Amino acid sequence: MRPTVGMLRAPDDDGVAPPSPGIDALPSLIDDLRAAPADVALDIDGDLDDVPATIGTTAYRIVQEALTNASRHAPGACVRVQVANRADAVVVAIDSAGRPGHGTGMGLRNMRERAEAVGGT
């Protein structure tokens, strides 16, 4: 729903809507959270420059959703984000030191559906 609503908003000053963030924007996302302040670590293994845009945007959105879940269900807990570019896959792992929450499960479902939409698990 958010992407659809976002398309209804006016583009930036030059008439072009900004691109969706990709995997290369993860350090900036983590820096923003650290400034909040949140205890978040980011480990990147491999060169992310050759990750296809669709995969990169999907990975970014999955990390974003996971960090939102962690802040909602385990506030203050340390979160570690690991991203690895392998020959056959981009692997994303998010681990929180917090206890598992009891939400609706929609965040986890959304992350799974995003991964499946680009052939991932």
Side-chain angles (χ1 to χ4, degrees):
M1 182 72 123
R2 284 187 184 135
T4 303
V5 171
M7 288 189 296
L8 299 175
R9 294 190 179 149
D12 62 13
D13 292 339
D14 63 4
V16 177
S20 295
I23 201 164
D24 59 327
L26 283 177
S28 178
L29 174 65
I30 301 303
D31 287 344
D32 290 347
L33 289 168
R34 288 178 182 151
D39 188 4
V40 183
L42 174 62
D43 297 320
I44 297 175
D45 181 17
D47 184 8
L48 301 179
D49 290 338
D50 63 345
V51 173
T54 303
I55 304 295
T57 298
T58 300
Y60 179 93
R61 294 296 187 201
I62 289 171
V63 170
Q64 188 178 43
E65 179 71 30
L67 293 171
T68 298
N69 284 354
S71 69
R72 181 178 300 133
H73 299 294
C78 176
V79 180
R80 172 170 235 92
V81 177
Q82 297 173 302
V83 179
N85 188 9
R86 302 288 182 239
D88 60 343
V90 173
V91 180
V92 176
I94 300 97
D95 185 34
S96 169
R99 297 179 59 160
H102 299 289
T104 63
M106 290 302 296
L108 294 174
R109 180 178 298 152
N110 289 341
M111 286 184 273
R112 182 175 47 254
E113 288 173 354
R114 282 182 188 274
E116 289 171 351
V118 294
T121 58

